[in-house]
Amino acid sequence: QVHVVESGGGLVQAGGSLRLSCVASGSIISINDITWYRQAPGKQRELVTSITRGGSTTYADSVKGRFTISRDNVKKTVYLQMNSLKFEDTAVYYCYVNIRTQYFTGPRDYWGQGTQVTVSS
């Protein structure tokens, strides 16, 4: 069984920083692309940033220059360093991971449960 768990969320003042972690565990053969999404109340879920197997990254314009995504393939963990946080960054942040497991012939997508980030202004 595969589990994806986010952590690191919390309450922070505007201008502060948080570091989110996303850990995948279970019968994992390999982890492909990893994406962070976020969803604020009353808004649709939006893509924040993603990282490929090879380490190539992409960022939404709203977070470019402030957020940094990275991955540790040994630890099966992806990190989201969030600096200069703004009130509009407030949302539930979800980790979305494409994983190859022993149970399926092809990779499948897994969502974490989400972690709440609240930025006070």
Side-chain angles (χ1 to χ4, degrees):
Q1 187 175 4
V2 174
H3 298 276
V4 177
V5 180
E6 303 99 331
S7 63
L11 175 64
V12 64
Q13 293 183 351
S17 298
L18 284 174
R19 189 194 191 198
L20 306 184
S21 297
C22 173
V23 181
S25 62
S27 300
I28 298 172
I29 296 176
S30 63
I31 299 176
N32 300 312
D33 295 357
I34 305 170
T35 303
W36 284 99
Y37 288 86
R38 68 185 181 186
Q39 187 167 22
K43 299 183 65 177
Q44 293 184 326
R45 186 170 297 184
E46 63 176 340
L47 189 150
V48 179
T49 179
S50 64
I51 186 167
T52 68
R53 292 177 62 186
S56 297
T57 60
T58 184
Y59 297 91
D61 289 339
S62 60
V63 306
K64 194 173 300 181
R66 300 187 297 118
F67 290 10
T68 302
I69 187 172
S70 61
R71 64 189 292 169
D72 186 326
N73 292 329
V74 175
K75 295 181 178 180
K76 296 182 176 63
T77 302
V78 63
Y79 304 98
L80 180 60
Q81 179 66 46
M82 306 186 295
N83 299 326
S84 302
L85 283 163
K86 304 175 181 179
F87 175 76
E88 51 264 41
D89 294 319
T90 297
V92 177
Y93 284 71
Y94 297 92
C95 186
Y96 181 70
V97 189
N98 186 254
I99 300 175
R100 184 79 174 269
T101 74
Q102 67 181 41
Y103 305 115
F104 304 98
T105 58
R108 296 174 67 88
D109 297 323
Y110 297 86
W111 287 94
Q113 83 291 343
T115 184
Q116 176 71 51
V117 172
T118 303
V119 184
S120 62
S121 60

